[in-house]
Amino acid sequence: MKADRTKRASKETIDRIYVESNLRDKSFVMSSPHCHAYCEIYYIEYGTCRFFIENNMYDLKSGDFLFIPPQVFHYTRYLDGHCKKTSLFFREEDVDDGVKKLLPQSDFFSKTRIFETPAAHAEQINTLLLRMVNEEKISDAQTEAMLRFLFQELFLLFIRNCNFLHVPTDIHTTDSQIVKAAQYISRRYFEPLTTADVAEAVGYSPNYLSRKFKEAVGVGVHEYIVFIRLQNAANELLSTKDTITEIALRCGFSDGNYFKDAFKKKYGLTPRDYRK
């Protein structure tokens, strides 16, 4: 059952709210970083983890929630021992309109957000999440409706009790150069970048940067460059009327066929179909 839920939650699209809870420790390594076409809320019941997301590194602790918008690259590490986390996968449309109107930001679903649970409300939040996890395990004809009902209650508790934080700017010193490398790539993705170029920009040797970047981000420098190029190309396909070739060249791809193959591998559609 658990494997089946994970498989469904990894698809390009989902048809309802899904919930999963896991214990992690230092030995756990994500098979790969990823992004998906739906929203995710990631909650730490106890322990800590380190998230790489949107070219930054965040340390999450007990009671913290991280909201991850669709198509945002993220990678998680568990550096300090046991951690219990719960993930909720959903679409923006799964949040009722009446609840949306109460959110503290009108653009809530478009940005990465961190919010924390005050200690006085942690038990209430944990109990509700446990009910959702158990409902997922039941998985009968009523599960979809029950999860949607509980999900609205969870969002109302966020709004009433949680502290919505500005995205922190302080990062762990051992990862600061990796963050600088990722941000450099995002600023210069349209140039003919190499690992050596990025390494020089942050003061590392290419081999050392490659090793540390893969450890912190989950992919190599070249793979991350391609990811950022594809992400920007996808945005341009929807926001401009330029040709696919023009967009590919502008986003740093010198080979149109490679661009089309890489795009389809990431998004499951050709650039032309994605634009349609």
Side-chain angles (χ1 to χ4, degrees):
M1 180 71 71
K2 178 180 176 182
D4 184 52
R5 291 199 308 273
T6 303
K7 182 179 179 182
R8 284 180 292 174
S10 299
K11 291 181 179 180
E12 281 298 309
T13 59
I14 55 176
D15 54 0
R16 65 168 176 85
I17 298 162
Y18 289 93
V19 186
E20 62 180 38
S21 185
N22 310 97
L23 288 172
R24 303 297 194 208
D25 59 27
K26 290 182 180 180
S27 65
F28 178 81
V29 178
M30 285 183 67
S31 58
S32 65
H34 62 277
C35 62
H36 32 69
Y38 42 86
C39 304
E40 179 179 353
I41 288 178
Y42 188 99
Y43 174 69
I44 303 293
E45 183 174 339
Y46 62 78
T48 62
C49 74
R50 184 164 299 163
F51 246 93
F52 177 85
I53 183 169
E54 289 194 314
N55 301 317
N56 234 320
M57 207 79 68
Y58 306 130
D59 287 330
L60 302 182
K61 63 184 186 307
S62 299
D64 284 350
F65 286 91
L66 174 68
F67 170 73
I68 305 170
Q71 302 297 0
V72 170
F73 178 103
H74 51 283
Y75 184 70
T76 319
R77 290 178 290 160
Y78 303 89
L79 305 178
D80 300 320
H82 292 288
C83 174
K84 184 176 182 182
K85 66 91 175 175
T86 299
S87 291
L88 299 96
F89 306 103
F90 63 99
R91 305 156 299 178
E92 182 177 342
E93 65 202 66
D94 291 318
V95 183
D96 289 351
D97 289 341
V99 175
K100 287 180 184 176
K101 292 177 181 178
L102 299 174
L103 286 167
Q105 298 91 4
S106 59
D107 60 349
F108 180 90
F109 297 99
S110 66
K111 298 179 181 179
T112 299
R113 302 185 186 279
I114 296 174
F115 40 110
E116 63 181 10
T117 306
H121 301 288
E123 183 176 356
Q124 186 180 20
I125 291 282
N126 290 339
T127 298
L128 180 55
L129 286 170
L130 180 60
R131 288 180 64 192
M132 296 183 74
V133 170
N134 288 336
E135 182 60 46
E136 184 71 81
K137 292 177 181 177
I138 294 171
S139 192
D140 64 10
Q142 288 75 47
T143 290
E144 180 176 353
M146 283 294 294
L147 283 175
R148 187 178 179 97
F149 171 78
L150 295 170
F151 191 61
Q152 311 315 310
E153 183 179 350
L154 182 66
F155 256 81
L156 289 171
L157 289 178
F158 292 158
I159 296 164
R160 172 176 283 174
N161 299 324
C162 290
N163 299 317
F164 288 79
L165 307 177
H166 293 295
V167 172
T169 56
D170 56 317
I171 58 174
H172 196 279
T173 54
T174 57
D175 284 330
S176 61
Q177 294 304 97
I178 302 305
V179 168
K180 288 180 181 178
Q183 293 174 346
Y184 180 84
I185 291 168
S186 287
R187 291 194 305 269
R188 312 288 284 271
Y189 67 89
F190 48 85
E191 298 178 3
L193 283 181
T194 65
T195 299
D197 295 329
V198 181
E200 182 179 0
V202 300
Y204 280 168
S205 72
N207 286 341
Y208 186 74
L209 174 65
S210 294
R211 179 168 63 84
K212 297 298 290 184
F213 198 93
K214 179 69 180 289
E215 179 183 290
V217 180
V219 295
V221 175
H222 175 70
E223 288 83 0
Y224 192 69
I225 292 171
V226 173
F227 179 91
I228 295 298
R229 287 172 173 167
L230 289 171
Q231 189 176 57
N232 281 277
N235 290 336
E236 291 203 27
L237 284 167
L238 299 182
S239 62
T240 75
K241 294 183 179 180
D242 295 340
T243 68
I244 291 171
T245 299
E246 288 171 338
I247 290 171
L249 291 172
R250 190 161 58 240
C251 290
F253 292 97
S254 59
D255 185 322
N257 289 328
Y258 174 73
F259 166 66
K260 292 173 184 177
D261 290 343
F263 193 95
K264 186 172 183 179
K265 182 177 179 181
K266 179 181 186 302
Y267 290 99
L269 296 168
T270 65
R272 188 178 305 279
D273 289 339
Y274 184 88
R275 172 174 265 174
K276 290 177 181 179

